[in-house]
Amino acid sequence: MIAGVSGRLVSASFAATLLPELSGIRQTPLQAQRVLMRWDAARQASLGTASSVRAVADVAVVALLRAVGFRISRRRETPSRCELLAEASGAMLPVVVMPWAESLDATWRDAILSGIAADARWCLCSNGRALRLLDAHRTWARQHQEFDLESLVHVSEALTLFWTLLRAEAVAGSDPLLDRAVAASARHGVDICSALGHGVLDALALVMRSLTASESRRGATPLAQLLDESLTVLYRVLFLLFAEARGLVPVWHPLYRDRYTIDAIVSALLAG
């Protein structure tokens, strides 16, 4: 899991292992990093709960899009919303800007409709504190990639992923890097699910053998009961792995990380 990034369009494991192997990958140039640092400083100094939608759009969104190579070709404002159309080399990226810190879930429909109206594959929505990328073609999936603007320039992995996916060069062209990355991440997820299925069966057999060996020293236990106990152990481990991967448990805290994570438990068992 990458700090400051959420969503499933591109998984953290794919971003860390396979994304760098795709053609067209570029590291964030030093000049771009400096521009983004200045953008972050202006956003933090200028915006807050009293900021208007226009201020949020100008300082947080338009400046960010320009920093990654887009130009704003159309703009329409109301007191409660600002709609932008960002363009680069023929690619169009509709953007819906909401009031400061307003829930982005509430604007999903409006953002998708703006993408459909522009016949764009991707669209964005932002509330000044986060920027969410939405798939305007596969709307039934409701998948997104969200970047926390508060930490974007301060977490190198988040900034690298943002630059990789959302710079103008990655969105434009006949075979955009963004499209290829999302498709490859989906295939990677399918491969992981297949491998996990086989791994669960192997793990179940291993746990049952271990429990059977333990029970043989204490007395016979019905095989059905051993199977139930093995499944209980396995599902609890899978639940904890899922919770850690989704950030549902405080893996960032040293006390939890060093004592209660699966990695810590396995290390303690192996050490005896």
Side-chain angles (χ1 to χ4, degrees), residues 165-235:
L165 299 180
L166 284 177
R167 72 184 192 278
E169 181 187 351
V171 180
S174 58
D175 187 24
L177 174 60
L178 174 57
D179 294 36
R180 289 187 284 117
V182 171
S185 179
R187 291 193 297 271
H188 177 63
V190 171
D191 292 341
I192 288 179
C193 288
S194 177
L196 181 61
H198 294 297
V200 166
L201 294 177
D202 293 340
L204 180 60
L206 181 61
V207 172
M208 281 199 67
R209 285 199 298 270
S210 299
L211 290 179
T212 301
S214 175
E215 290 296 328
S216 65
R217 295 191 293 268
R218 294 186 298 173
T221 299
L223 188 60
Q225 183 178 339
L226 286 178
L227 176 60
D228 288 343
E229 292 174 355
S230 300
L231 287 171
T232 298
V233 170
L234 193 57
Y235 285 145

Side-chain angles (χ1 to χ4, degrees), residues 234-249:
L234 193 57
Y235 285 145
R236 286 180 177 176
V237 170
L238 288 173
F239 173 79
L240 285 174
L241 288 172
F242 174 85
E244 290 179 8
R246 295 293 183 186
L248 302 177
V249 290

Side-chain angles (χ1 to χ4, degrees), residues 65-170:
L65 291 172
R66 287 174 175 163
V68 295
F70 287 96
R71 63 182 179 85
I72 305 302
S73 63
R74 190 176 70 212
R75 179 168 181 160
R76 183 171 58 189
E77 292 185 27
T78 68
S80 62
R81 184 171 69 182
C82 177
E83 296 181 3
L84 308 169
L85 184 63
E87 293 190 36
S89 302
M92 293 186 292
L93 193 62
V95 187
V96 175
V97 183
M98 306 301 291
W100 176 261
E102 184 169 308
S103 172
L104 292 180
D105 293 335
T107 192
W108 179 87
R109 182 176 181 275
D110 291 335
I112 291 297
L113 288 176
S114 69
I116 294 173
D119 194 24
R121 169 69 195 273
W122 307 102
C123 55
L124 296 171
C125 59
S126 178
N127 58 11
R129 300 190 65 181
L131 182 74
R132 182 177 290 185
L133 173 67
L134 302 170
D135 189 337
H137 281 187
R138 301 177 70 252
T139 57
W140 64 89
R142 296 184 71 97
Q143 293 188 354
H144 68 271
Q145 201 80 33
E146 183 172 316
F147 295 89
D148 176 20
L149 299 184
E150 304 284 345
S151 59
L152 180 62
V153 301
H154 306 290
V155 179
S156 59
E157 295 88 351
L159 181 58
T160 297
L161 183 60
F162 176 82
W163 179 261
T164 298
L165 299 180
L166 284 177
R167 72 184 192 278
E169 181 187 351

Side-chain angles (χ1 to χ4, degrees), residues 2-15:
I2 301 174
V5 180
S6 60
R8 297 183 296 169
L9 278 177
V10 174
S11 68
S13 61
F14 176 81

Side-chain angles (χ1 to χ4, degrees), residues 35-79:
V35 171
L36 289 169
M37 288 294 289
R38 291 195 293 270
W39 160 82
D40 180 65
R43 191 193 64 83
Q44 292 196 50
S46 305
L47 299 179
T49 54
S51 298
S52 66
V53 172
R54 172 174 289 187
V56 172
D58 288 340
V59 178
V61 181
V62 173
L64 179 60
L65 291 172
R66 287 174 175 163
V68 295
F70 287 96
R71 63 182 179 85
I72 305 302
S73 63
R74 190 176 70 212
R75 179 168 181 160
R76 183 171 58 189
E77 292 185 27
T78 68

